[in-house]
């Protein structure tokens, strides 16, 4: 079970890292031109960059506390925060007609629920 939780948290951390880097460092016009990123065209630049920073923090929070042994409770707390972020992402993608991306966010949400449950309960 512990190995499955590490794999799930690591996979989510990679997803969060990729999303965070793209939102925080790529130009907004490039994001808006990419599939699934159309919503960024009408979002405030600071909002998009802020989401990128949150995703970078999530990437760190999903693995570093457990790796270092410093405040490991932050791993499931971060997973719960990721669930909330994915709910917002799903709503945004559905509003912009990107149901496929909403389903992908639902999968990420399910993995985050598994990590939160596993690290809080097991």
């Amino acid at each position: 079970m512990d190995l499955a939780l590490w794999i799930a948290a690591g996979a989510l951390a990679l997803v969060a890292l990729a999303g965070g880097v793209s939102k925080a460092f790529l130009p907004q016009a490039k994001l808006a031109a990419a599939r699934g990123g159309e919503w960024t065209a009408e979002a405030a630049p600071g909002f998009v960059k802020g989401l990128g920073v949150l995703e970078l923090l999530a990437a760190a929070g999903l693995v570093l506390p457990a790796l270092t042994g410093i405040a490991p409770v932050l791993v499931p707390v971060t997973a719960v925060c990721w669930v909330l972020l994915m709910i917002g992402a799903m709503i945004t993608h559905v509003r912009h007609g990107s149901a496929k991306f909403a389903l992908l966010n639902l999968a990420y949400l399910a993995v985050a629920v598994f990590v939160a449950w596993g690290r809080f309960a097991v």
Side-chain angles (χ1 to χ4, degrees), residues 18-19 21-43 45 48-49 101:
V21 166
S22 66
K23 288 179 188 79
F25 299 111
L26 289 179
Q28 193 166 349
K30 189 170 184 174
L31 287 173
R35 277 188 45 212
E38 299 87 2
W39 64 272
T40 60
E42 56 193 54
V48 176
K49 299 288 185 207
F101 287 99

Side-chain angles (χ1 to χ4, degrees), residues 2-3 6 9-10 21 36 49 57 59 73 84 88 97 100 110-111 113 116 120:
D2 191 50
L3 178 62
W6 271 106
V21 166
K49 299 288 185 207
L57 291 172
V73 72
L84 298 174
K100 289 180 186 178
V111 174
V113 166
F120 273 135

Side-chain angles (χ1 to χ4, degrees), residues 6 60 63-72 74-75:
W6 271 106
V63 292
L64 288 181
L67 276 176
T68 63
I70 300 170
L74 290 178
V75 173

Side-chain angles (χ1 to χ4, degrees), residues 6-106:
W6 271 106
I7 291 169
L12 277 183
L14 289 175
V15 168
L17 183 64
V21 166
S22 66
K23 288 179 188 79
F25 299 111
L26 289 179
Q28 193 166 349
K30 189 170 184 174
L31 287 173
R35 277 188 45 212
E38 299 87 2
W39 64 272
T40 60
E42 56 193 54
F47 177 73
V48 176
K49 299 288 185 207
L51 281 176
V53 171
L54 286 176
E55 289 181 5
L56 291 172
L57 291 172
L62 285 165
V63 292
L64 288 181
L67 276 176
T68 63
I70 300 170
V73 72
L74 290 178
V75 173
V77 169
T78 302
V80 170
C81 292
W82 186 260
V83 166
L84 298 174
L85 187 65
M86 289 301 100
I87 291 169
M90 288 168 47
I91 292 168
T92 300
H93 284 300
V94 167
R95 284 184 179 171
H96 287 86
S98 301
K100 289 180 186 178
F101 287 99
L103 288 175
L104 183 60
N105 293 133
L106 181 61

